[in-house]
Amino acid sequence: MDKTNLSDLQRLDLCKKYFYGGFALLPFLWAVNAVWFFTDAFVKAEYPQQREVKKYVIYSSVGALVWTVVLITWTVIYQQNRAAWGEVGDQLSFVIPRGIP
């Protein structure tokens, strides 16, 4: 999508949609929102909706960062403890590794 043809109000609306879409367990939208609207929020000359766009960009950045930390933490904990968790660890896995843990 080319956002250069959008008005400032339409950009704000799109930024808002991406932000709220992140709450639907799609944190990748927050990362996209933060990167895609960064220049509109912090680099571009001031315009009436910029303050609100900046707010959504900051919140999206924080949300994406929190999700990234949670995902990495869960991955590390799972990888270190899967064998110790026994059957529960195997049930959580899509692919059960063969061999001695």
Side-chain angles (χ1 to χ4, degrees):
M1 177 175 198
D2 185 18
K3 67 182 176 107
T4 56
N5 298 331
L6 298 176
S7 70
D8 292 335
L9 195 57
Q10 289 172 321
R11 288 179 193 201
L12 172 62
D13 186 50
L14 186 61
C15 185
K16 220 184 270 192
K17 286 178 183 176
Y18 273 71
F19 174 72
Y20 288 120
F23 284 107
L25 297 178
L26 300 170
F28 183 69
L29 284 179
W30 284 333
V32 169
N33 197 29
V35 170
W36 205 22
F37 285 99
F38 181 84
T39 56
D40 291 332
F42 296 104
V43 177
K44 193 175 175 185
E46 196 149 333
Y47 57 95
Q49 293 82 10
Q50 187 176 27
R51 186 172 179 206
E52 210 169 342
V53 169
K54 190 180 291 188
K55 176 181 75 170
Y56 287 117
V57 168
I58 291 171
Y59 289 163
S60 294
S61 301
V62 170
L65 181 66
V66 167
W67 264 97
T68 301
V69 168
V70 167
L71 184 64
I72 289 171
T73 303
W74 166 248
T75 301
V76 169
I77 289 171
Y78 178 76
Q79 292 295 324
Q80 290 179 344
N81 297 309
R82 186 202 59 82
W85 291 344
E87 179 131 358
V88 173
D90 289 341
Q91 289 175 347
L92 290 173
S93 181
F94 288 112
V95 178
I96 300 172
R98 305 258 183 225
I100 300 171

